[in-house]
Amino acid sequence: MRIYLLSICLLLALPMWCQEKPADFSQEIFKTDLEIKMVGIPGGKVLLGQPKSKMPDELPQKEVEISPFFMSAYEITHDIFMVFRDAEIDLDEDGNPRVDGVTRPSAPYEDPVFGMGKFGYPAAGMTQFSALQFCKWLSEKTGRFYRLPTEAEWEYACRAGTETPYFFGKKKKELLDYAWFEKNSEGTFHKVGELQPNPWGLYDMYGNVAEWTLDQYHADAYSKLEDGEKDPWIKPTDLHPRSVRGGTFKSEAADLRSAKRIESTLDWKKRDPQIPKSFWWNTDSPFVGFRVVSPAEQPSQQEQNQFWALVLGG
């Protein structure tokens, strides 16, 4: 039995303390031919940060434990985000626009992706609030709880059981097989899933667009964690900075490391002329998108309500 478990762990690129991997599934988007492929991520431990890093916010390294969950194999695409954004697309069982109290994004001041690509390309340029509202809409529409990943979940899923700077090792030249970044992107993001996935079947974890997480960004976040802490989450208290992961199509190789942390800034909506500035769109961040996760153990409705009240302020 021990030999069998070892073989399974090696085949799936799981650490020796791996837990059972939840079965992958596809989440259909009602009344469309669209779906979100959800990859089962086994529970386990991860060593956050990078040893001897030159970036203080990646230290000190802390080992934490992560519960099993599902993560979307791809960044959420423009096609899927548009079903949420446009009431004329999000129809009810009778083909009529849904009247369900969903708060939808206001029209962006300008094209949030500046013509870089829409159908099959990652949705981008939205605020974290916008990404969270999408998750709430998806949860209500499907009956399954969806949210953004925590920073710890994101790094755990990205590393896929590895401790090297990249999930494939240390050689930066190999990034060309896995990431759209400054060396190969030609200054634009690309359709999701065109390059190779990480060992756990997640595409574009490096480059293409950076991805929102749930956490408030603190440069000293790891110093506040306890070794062995389970499912850590730095809960939000301020609008900025929030934590973003993965690097972008503009990033240098060093900024695509699994441990690399990015903080959001008000400069991402600097040219927004609205007063107050939009909660939904960042006029100056066509390089930011998101992917969704869903806990293997689903929270109760009361727990979900408490979560949305915390992250959306009501």
Side-chain angles (χ1 to χ4, degrees), residues 129-141:
F129 174 83
S130 185
L132 284 167
Q133 286 282 10
F134 171 89
C135 293
K136 185 172 186 288
W137 166 82
L138 184 64
S139 299
E140 293 175 352
K141 192 171 184 66

Side-chain angles (χ1 to χ4, degrees), residues 16-258:
M16 274 303 297
W17 32 257
C18 65
Q19 299 176 18
E20 183 176 356
K21 179 186 184 299
D24 300 352
F25 72 93
S26 291
Q27 178 63 70
E28 296 181 353
I29 306 301
F30 183 70
K31 290 292 184 180
T32 76
D33 59 358
L34 302 171
E35 63 180 23
I36 302 174
K37 181 180 178 182
M38 300 297 294
V39 176
I41 306 297
K45 298 177 182 178
V46 62
L47 194 60
L48 299 177
Q50 196 67 35
K52 301 179 182 179
S53 176
K54 296 180 180 179
M55 306 300 294
D57 66 352
E58 296 172 13
L59 295 169
Q61 283 194 284
K62 291 291 178 70
E63 185 180 72
V64 300
E65 184 177 352
I66 304 297
S67 299
F69 64 99
F70 299 90
M71 176 175 269
S72 56
Y74 311 103
E75 293 154 338
I76 295 299
T77 61
H78 174 86
D79 329 30
I80 294 173
F81 193 77
M82 280 298 296
V83 181
F84 159 61
R85 177 181 159 188
D86 191 340
E88 296 301 317
I89 299 176
D90 182 15
L91 305 177
D92 64 16
E93 294 84 348
D94 299 319
N96 299 312
R98 289 166 60 90
V99 182
D100 52 11
V102 171
T103 304
R104 302 181 189 277
S106 57
Y109 176 66
E110 55 187 44
D111 178 10
V113 299
F114 300 97
M116 287 190 287
K118 293 186 176 179
F119 299 102
Y121 292 82
M126 77 289 295
T127 61
Q128 190 209 48
F129 174 83
S130 185
L132 284 167
Q133 286 282 10
F134 171 89
C135 293
K136 185 172 186 288
W137 166 82
L138 184 64
S139 299
E140 293 175 352
K141 192 171 184 66
T142 64
R144 183 176 186 93
F145 179 61
Y146 288 93
R147 57 170 171 77
L148 298 178
T150 64
E151 264 205 279
E153 287 171 335
W154 192 98
E155 186 167 332
Y156 175 68
C158 180
R159 288 188 177 280
T162 67
E163 294 184 3
T164 49
Y166 306 99
F167 54 67
F168 52 78
K170 297 180 179 180
K171 296 180 180 179
K172 295 178 181 179
K173 64 181 181 180
E174 294 185 31
L175 274 169
L176 295 170
D177 295 328
Y178 299 94
W180 297 111
F181 65 118
E182 65 159 2
K183 292 289 187 182
N184 62 354
S185 70
E186 298 182 344
T188 183
F189 56 59
H190 292 251
K191 286 187 175 181
V192 301
E194 291 188 327
L195 299 177
Q196 294 183 37
N198 81 348
W200 286 356
L202 302 170
Y203 294 80
D204 303 305
M205 292 297 282
Y206 300 142
N208 218 27
V209 292
E211 300 172 11
W212 286 112
T213 75
L214 275 181
D215 293 49
Q216 187 82 50
Y217 173 87
H218 291 293
D220 61 349
Y222 294 168
S223 66
K224 299 177 181 179
L225 296 179
E226 298 291 336
D227 273 317
E229 189 168 337
K230 188 170 183 179
D231 297 323
W233 172 28
I234 309 299
K235 294 181 174 63
T237 55
D238 298 298
L239 187 60
H240 289 285
R242 301 291 175 93
S243 291
V244 184
R245 288 300 199 111
T248 79
F249 61 87
K250 298 180 178 182
S251 296
E252 298 178 356
D255 291 331
L256 300 182
R257 295 171 299 106
S258 299

